[in-house]
Amino acid sequence: METSTALLTDHYELTMVDAALKAGTANRRSMFELFARRLSGARRYGVVAGTGRLLEAIRNFRFGDTELEYLRANRVVNDDTLDWLANFQFNGNIWGYAEGDVFFPGSPLITVEASFAEGVLLETLALSILNSDSAVATAASRMVHSAAGKPLAEMGSRRTSERTAVAAARAAYIAGFSATSNLEAGRSYGIPTMGTAAHSFTLLHDSEREAFEAQVAALGTDTTLLVDTYDIDEGVRTAIEVAGTGLGAVRIDSGDLPVVVARVRRLLDDLGATNTRITVTNDLDEYTVAALAASPVDSFGVGTSVVVGSGTPTMGMVYKLVARQDDAGEWVSVAKKSQDKASVGGRKSVRRSFNAKGVATAERIYLGDGPDGATEGADTDGREVLVPLILDGAEQPGHTGHDGIAAARERHRERVRELPAVAMSLTRGDPAIPTEYR
Amino acid sequence: METSTALLTDHYELTMVDAALKAGTANRRSMFELFARRLSGARRYGVVAGTGRLLEAIRNFRFGDTELEYLRANRVVNDDTLDWLANFQFNGNIWGYAEGDVFFPGSPLITVEASFAEGVLLETLALSILNSDSAVATAASRMVHSAAGKPLAEMGSRRTSERTAVAAARAAYIAGFSATSNLEAGRSYGIPTMGTAAHSFTLLHDSEREAFEAQVAALGTDTTLLVDTYDIDEGVRTAIEVAGTGLGAVRIDSGDLPVVVARVRRLLDDLGATNTRITVTNDLDEYTVAALAASPVDSFGVGTSVVVGSGTPTMGMVYKLVARQDDAGEWVSVAKKSQDKASVGGRKSVRRSFNAKGVATAERIYLGDGPDGATEGADTDGREVLVPLILDGAEQPGHTGHDGIAAARERHRERVRELPAVAMSLTRGDPAIPTEYR
C-alpha cells in the first residue's frame, strides 16, 4: 500500500514552509530533535518503538495530485509552495535510537538534520508514530518482565482505533510479546497470530458440549477451549470429556484468577490432563500479571492495558529545533526560553555507560553546536547509542520490514537486561539511570 | 482509498467461522449487541462516534486475493472457509444509536442481525472504531461545555497514532470542536483546518521580529502570532509593532494561563489592539478550559487530552451474542453466565423519556426475544432512539460522508442540550439519567 502520508501532519507545518520560502529562510540547514522531557507515568525506562514505521512513512511522504489539490482548494499555501511540495522528497539526515532500545528523559530519540522546510514537515508524523508506539512498547516491556518468562499475547485490537491496533501489535511484539490476535499485524509485519473462540461461539450452540465438539472437529484437540461461559468447573470437565486429556489448553476470562486458576489446575490434573495448559485473559495489566506469578498459569492474553499504554497512552515526546545555520553558514544553537518548557539547544551525541559488571549506570548526552561539534568533547567510555537511519535521503538498511522488527525485538531483549534491577520496579519513581549532560 | 478492512480483526473470529461452517451452525440467524457496561471514567454521559466510519469500513470488509493468500499461507482457516470468505459481503441488518447521540450504561449502540458468521466477523472492527472514536467524542463534549461557547480546535495529532489522529479530529468535530490541525482530516472529512506557526519558526529566524515579519508577509495581518518563545510581553509588543493593531490573534503556549492571559489582554488593549484575539494551547483539558472561563481567552487549542479521551482512551464497549435462532428457526435469548460479566440477552428497543420541560429523565430499554419481540411491549412515550443503519446489506442514507458528519454534529448539539444539568458536572459520578430495563 503506497498511500501518501504527506497530509498526516498539522496545518501549521505547511504555513511555516510557506512563510519561510517567501522569507528566504526555508533552506537554512537545521537540526530538529525528538525527545521526551520526562518518562510519562513515572516509568523507570522508556522503550523506543515506531522507528521502522517512521522510516516507511517517510518513503511515502510525497505530495501527489490528491494532496496538492486539497491544499490548493483550501488555500493552505500559495502556488510557489505547491510547486515546492510537488517536488518534495526528504533528502536530509536522520540519526536516532535504534528501535527496541531503552531511553530516558532528554534522550534524543530522533535527530533530523535537513533544511528547515524539510525538517519541519516531518514533525507531526514522527511524533504521532513514536509517541504512540513507544507508549505501547514501554507498557508491554513491563508486562513481559511481570510474566517472568511465560508467553504473552496481545489481544487489545478492539480497545484502540483499528489502524493503531496494527501498530500496537507490532510495538508489543518488539517489547517481547509472543503473538497477537490481530490478523493485519500478521499480514503486514509477519507477527505470529493466535486465537480460537469467544463466548459467542459457545452461546451459538445448543450446549457447551456441542460448541466444544464443533471447535475440536475444526481445530483439533490441541486447540484452546474457553471454559467460563457457564460454570468453570463444569466447563473444564466437559472440555476434557470432548477433547480428551490431550487438550491443548483451557482459557479463563473471568473470576478471581489466582483462586480460579489454582482450582482449574487441580481439576485438570485430577482428570488426567496434566499437559493441558491454562491461559488467562481477564483485563490483565503488568500488576495483575505479576500477581499471578505464583499461579499455575501457562500464558497470558493482554488486551486493553497494553494497547492504551497501561495508563500512559502517549509518551509526551516533543520535536524541537535545536540548532540552525545563519546566513553565513555558521551553526547557531537555539532554544525556547519559556520557563516551563526549556529545551537544551544544539546537536547531541549519546553514550550509555556501564559498570564493571556490565550494568548500565548513566545516559551521557554530549552537547555540541553543529553536526560534528557534538562528538568532539565526547569520551569513548560506554556504547555509542545513536545510529544513522537516513543519510542524504537514503534509508539505512536493517531498520524496516520483518528484519527490522526481528532485530528490534532482539535488541530490546538485550538492552533491557543491561539495566539495573530498579528498572524492573512497577512502582512510580525516578528513571533507572540518570541522564547526564556533558 | 478502497483498502480492504477485512483483516482489521482478531484471529479467533476467523476460526469461529471455520468451526461453525464445519458444524453447520454458521448460518444460524443471530443477534449481536455492542454496548458499554458502564461509562468509563465515571462520566455522566457518553457520546456515540464512529458510526459513519464503521459503515464505510463495512463497505470495504471484503476478502481479496491479498487477504485470502495470507489466511491460506498461515493456515488460519481451511479451504472451504476460504471459499466462503471470498464471497463474503455483509447482507444482514444493523440498527444503532445515530452518531452524535448520547448514550448510557447498557445502551445497545449497535445491534447486528445476521447469520452468526456474518455477525461475528464484524466484532473487532466495530469495537475498535466505536470504542476509540466515542472515547474522544465523550471527552471533547465535556471540553465544549467547559469552553462556554468559545471555539475549540483539536491539535492532538502528534499525541496519538497517525491514522487515529484523523479519526480523533472527526470525533472531536462531531462533539462540537470547530476545527482541527490535521490536514488529512480536512481532506477526508471536510473538517476546517487551522494553524500558523510553531516555536521552531521563530527560532529559525535571527530575531522574533524577523520571524513575525516573515509570517505576516506570507499569511497577512489577520494571522496568529506565537508570542511566548522568549518573553511574552516583549513578544506581544513586537507582534503589534510588526502587524499593527489589526493583528488577528496572539497564541500563548506556556505559563500560568489565567495570570498571563489577563496581562496580555491589558497589554494588547493598551497598545490599541483591542480586536486582537487571544488563543491558548498549553496542555489544556476540560478542567483547565473551565478554569479559564472568566479569563479573556477567545479560543482554545486542545491537544493531548482530547485525542486520548482525557484519561479514558477507550470506552470499554463489548460486542456480545444476545439471541440466535435454533434449528427450528425459533429465537433463543442467550447470555453468558460468568458472575462478573453478566449480559442481558435478547434484542432490545430503546426509548428516551422526557419530563414536561423536555429534559431527559430515563433511557428505557425494552427487552424482547426476537427482532420484533422487543417493540411489542414498548409504550410510545418519549423518543425512539435506534435507527436503521444497514438493512439487508444496504447502507441506509444519511450516516456517512460529509453529510453524515454534519448531521451527527447537529444531532449532538441538540441531544446534549436535552440532558439534565447534572450531565455537565465534571466530577466523577452516576450517569445523568438512569437506564431502566422494561
Side-chain angles (χ1 to χ4, degrees):
Chain A
M1 192 171 63
E2 295 294 326
T3 310
S4 170
T5 57
L7 294 186
L8 296 171
T9 191
D10 285 321
H11 188 118
Y12 79 178
E13 284 155 21
L14 279 288
T15 49
M16 284 191 274
V17 170
D18 200 55
L21 283 171
K22 193 160 184 175
T25 48
N27 288 319
R28 285 185 168 185
R29 200 76 178 163
S30 297
M31 194 102 54
F32 290 88
E33 195 177 290
L34 189 154
F35 62 98
R37 292 195 176 93
R38 62 196 72 84
L39 293 176
S40 296
R43 301 274 200 258
R44 307 314 183 102
Y45 63 98
V47 178
V48 185
T51 322
R53 291 213 306 121
L54 174 61
L55 295 177
E56 289 162 3
I58 290 173
R59 285 182 204 157
N60 299 320
F61 199 93
R62 303 292 294 269
F63 293 84
D65 292 345
T66 306
E67 291 73 34
L68 294 169
E69 180 47 35
Y70 168 74
L71 297 174
R72 180 182 293 111
N74 288 273
R75 303 185 185 192
V76 176
V77 293
N78 69 41
D79 287 348
D80 290 345
T81 304
L82 289 173
D83 291 343
W84 186 88
L85 293 172
N87 295 311
F88 175 79
Q89 180 173 8
F90 182 77
N91 283 314
N93 300 316
I94 301 184
W95 297 270
Y97 276 52
E99 191 160 15
D101 203 348
V102 295
F103 72 91
F104 302 94
S107 292
L109 301 179
I110 296 282
T111 301
V112 176
E113 188 210 343
S115 73
F116 174 80
E118 285 184 285
V120 80
L121 279 180
L122 300 183
E123 173 172 341
T124 303
L125 184 67
L127 284 170
S128 288
I129 293 175
L130 270 84
N131 263 323
S132 176
D133 289 15
S134 296
V136 173
T138 299
S141 179
R142 287 155 59 95
M143 295 170 190
V144 169
H145 180 76
S146 291
K150 293 173 181 172
L152 292 146
E154 182 280 310
M155 304 168 57
S157 295
R158 61 193 56 201
R159 297 296 170 83
T160 189
S161 201
E162 73 278 18
R163 296 276 170 196
T164 302
V166 185
R170 180 184 178 282
Y173 183 70
I174 285 171
F177 273 50
S178 301
T180 177
S181 62
N182 189 288
L183 289 172
E184 185 59 42
R187 194 189 70 80
S188 298
Y189 300 123
I191 301 172
T193 66
M194 50 80 71
T196 53
H199 296 107
S200 61
F201 187 78
T202 299
L203 296 171
L204 167 68
H205 292 87
D206 295 334
S207 68
E208 189 173 51
R209 180 178 301 271
E210 287 181 34
F212 289 173
E213 287 169 349
Q215 185 177 329
V216 169
L219 306 177
T221 55
D222 193 37
T223 192
T224 299
L225 292 173
L226 176 60
V227 292
D228 71 342
T229 304
Y230 304 111
D231 176 83
I232 292 178
D233 292 6
E234 195 58 38
V236 170
R237 283 189 206 96
T238 305
I240 300 302
E241 282 171 26
V242 168
T245 54
L247 175 63
V250 295
R251 177 161 80 94
I252 303 168
D253 185 48
S254 55
D256 181 14
L257 290 178
V259 175
V260 171
V261 165
R263 202 178 67 222
V264 168
R265 182 70 269 162
R266 281 195 303 274
L267 182 52
L268 285 169
D269 290 346
D270 288 348
L271 295 168
T274 51
N275 291 321
T276 298
R277 300 176 301 281
I278 299 175
T279 187
V280 298
T281 56
N282 183 25
D283 272 345
L284 300 176
D285 60 18
E286 61 266 52
Y287 305 101
T288 49
V289 167
L292 286 163
S295 291
V297 171
D298 296 286
S299 63
F300 301 93
V302 182
T304 309
S305 66
V306 64
V307 298
V308 302
S310 196
T312 304
T314 181
M315 291 303 284
M317 295 167 186
V318 294
Y319 184 93
K320 297 292 174 190
L321 183 69
V322 294
R324 47 102 184 150
Q325 291 186 350
D326 60 19
D327 282 339
E330 292 295 310
W331 282 96
V332 180
S333 191
V334 299
K336 184 181 167 190
K337 291 294 187 298
S338 314
Q339 283 181 321
D340 55 342
K341 288 187 180 173
S343 48
V344 181
R347 179 172 171 214
K348 286 90 180 172
S349 74
V350 183
R351 299 190 81 86
R352 189 167 301 154
S353 54
F354 298 88
N355 66 18
K357 293 179 177 168
V359 178
T361 52
E363 197 81 340
R364 292 192 178 146
I365 301 183
Y366 297 86
L367 306 180
D369 284 334
D372 303 317
T375 47
E376 282 171 16
D379 59 38
T380 53
D381 285 352
R383 181 197 299 132
E384 174 68 49
V385 174
L386 301 183
V387 298
L389 298 170
I390 294 181
L391 295 179
D392 294 332
E395 188 186 302
Q396 301 301 294
H399 300 287
T400 56
H402 295 196
D403 290 349
I405 293 170
R409 191 167 192 262
E410 176 59 20
R411 184 180 298 116
H412 180 67
R413 209 173 60 80
E414 291 170 1
R415 299 289 159 89
V416 82
R417 212 159 43 185
E418 295 169 349
L419 295 177
V422 68
M424 299 307 142
S425 170
L426 294 180
T427 57
R428 299 168 68 90
D430 291 331
I433 61 174
T435 302
E436 299 174 357
Y437 290 93
R438 294 291 172 106
Chain B
M1 192 170 63
E2 295 294 325
T3 310
S4 170
T5 58
L7 294 186
L8 296 171
T9 191
D10 285 322
H11 188 118
Y12 79 178
E13 285 153 22
L14 279 288
T15 49
M16 284 191 273
V17 170
D18 199 56
L21 283 171
K22 192 160 186 175
T25 48
N27 288 319
R28 285 185 168 185
R29 200 77 178 163
S30 298
M31 194 101 55
F32 290 88
E33 197 177 288
L34 188 154
F35 62 98
R37 292 194 177 94
R38 62 196 72 85
L39 293 176
S40 295
R43 301 272 200 259
R44 307 313 184 101
Y45 62 97
V47 178
V48 185
T51 323
R53 291 213 307 122
L54 175 60
L55 295 176
E56 290 162 4
I58 290 173
R59 284 182 204 158
N60 298 321
F61 199 94
R62 304 293 294 271
F63 294 83
D65 292 344
T66 306
E67 291 74 33
L68 294 170
E69 180 48 36
Y70 168 74
L71 297 174
R72 179 182 294 111
N74 288 273
R75 303 186 184 189
V76 176
V77 294
N78 69 41
D79 287 349
D80 290 345
T81 304
L82 288 172
D83 291 343
W84 186 90
L85 293 172
N87 295 310
F88 175 79
Q89 180 172 8
F90 183 77
N91 284 313
N93 301 317
I94 301 183
W95 298 269
Y97 276 52
E99 191 160 15
D101 203 348
V102 294
F103 72 91
F104 303 94
S107 292
L109 300 179
I110 296 283
T111 301
V112 176
E113 189 210 344
S115 73
F116 175 80
E118 284 184 286
V120 81
L121 279 181
L122 300 184
E123 173 173 341
T124 303
L125 185 66
L127 284 170
S128 288
I129 293 175
L130 270 83
N131 263 323
S132 176
D133 290 15
S134 296
V136 173
T138 299
S141 179
R142 287 156 59 95
M143 295 169 189
V144 170
H145 180 76
S146 290
K150 294 172 181 173
L152 292 146
E154 182 279 310
M155 304 169 57
S157 295
R158 60 192 57 201
R159 297 296 171 82
T160 190
S161 201
E162 73 279 17
R163 297 277 169 195
T164 302
V166 185
R170 179 184 179 281
Y173 184 69
I174 285 171
F177 273 50
S178 300
T180 177
S181 62
N182 189 287
L183 288 171
E184 186 59 42
R187 194 190 70 79
S188 298
Y189 299 125
I191 300 173
T193 65
M194 50 80 70
T196 52
H199 296 106
S200 61
F201 187 78
T202 299
L203 296 171
L204 168 68
H205 291 87
D206 296 333
S207 68
E208 189 175 52
R209 179 178 301 270
E210 287 181 34
F212 289 174
E213 286 168 349
Q215 185 177 329
V216 168
L219 306 175
T221 54
D222 194 37
T223 192
T224 299
L225 292 172
L226 176 60
V227 293
D228 71 342
T229 303
Y230 303 111
D231 175 83
I232 292 179
D233 292 8
E234 195 58 39
V236 171
R237 282 190 206 96
T238 305
I240 299 303
E241 282 171 26
V242 168
T245 54
L247 175 64
V250 295
R251 176 161 81 93
I252 304 169
D253 185 47
S254 56
D256 181 14
L257 290 178
V259 174
V260 171
V261 165
R263 201 177 67 222
V264 167
R265 182 70 269 161
R266 278 196 304 274
L267 182 53
L268 285 170
D269 290 346
D270 288 348
L271 295 169
T274 51
N275 290 321
T276 298
R277 299 178 302 280
I278 298 175
T279 187
V280 298
T281 56
N282 183 26
D283 272 345
L284 300 176
D285 61 17
E286 60 267 51
Y287 305 101
T288 49
V289 167
L292 285 164
S295 292
V297 171
D298 296 287
S299 63
F300 301 93
V302 182
T304 309
S305 67
V306 64
V307 299
V308 302
S310 196
T312 305
T314 181
M315 291 303 284
M317 295 166 186
V318 295
Y319 184 92
K320 297 292 173 190
L321 182 70
V322 294
R324 49 102 184 149
Q325 290 187 352
D326 60 19
D327 283 339
E330 292 295 311
W331 282 95
V332 181
S333 190
V334 299
K336 184 181 167 189
K337 290 295 186 297
S338 314
Q339 283 180 321
D340 55 343
K341 289 187 179 172
S343 48
V344 181
R347 179 171 172 214
K348 286 89 179 171
S349 73
V350 183
R351 299 191 79 87
R352 189 166 301 153
S353 54
F354 298 89
N355 67 16
K357 293 180 176 166
V359 178
T361 52
E363 197 80 340
R364 292 192 178 146
I365 301 183
Y366 298 86
L367 306 179
D369 284 333
D372 303 317
T375 47
E376 281 170 18
D379 59 38
T380 53
D381 285 351
R383 181 197 299 132
E384 174 68 48
V385 173
L386 301 183
V387 298
L389 298 170
I390 295 181
L391 295 178
D392 293 332
E395 187 186 303
Q396 301 301 294
H399 300 288
T400 57
H402 295 195
D403 290 351
I405 293 170
R409 191 166 193 263
E410 177 59 20
R411 184 179 298 115
H412 181 66
R413 210 175 60 80
E414 291 170 2
R415 298 291 159 88
V416 82
R417 213 159 42 186
E418 295 170 348
L419 296 177
V422 69
M424 299 307 142
S425 170
L426 294 181
T427 57
R428 298 168 70 91
D430 291 332
I433 61 174
T435 302
E436 299 173 357
Y437 290 92
R438 293 291 172 105

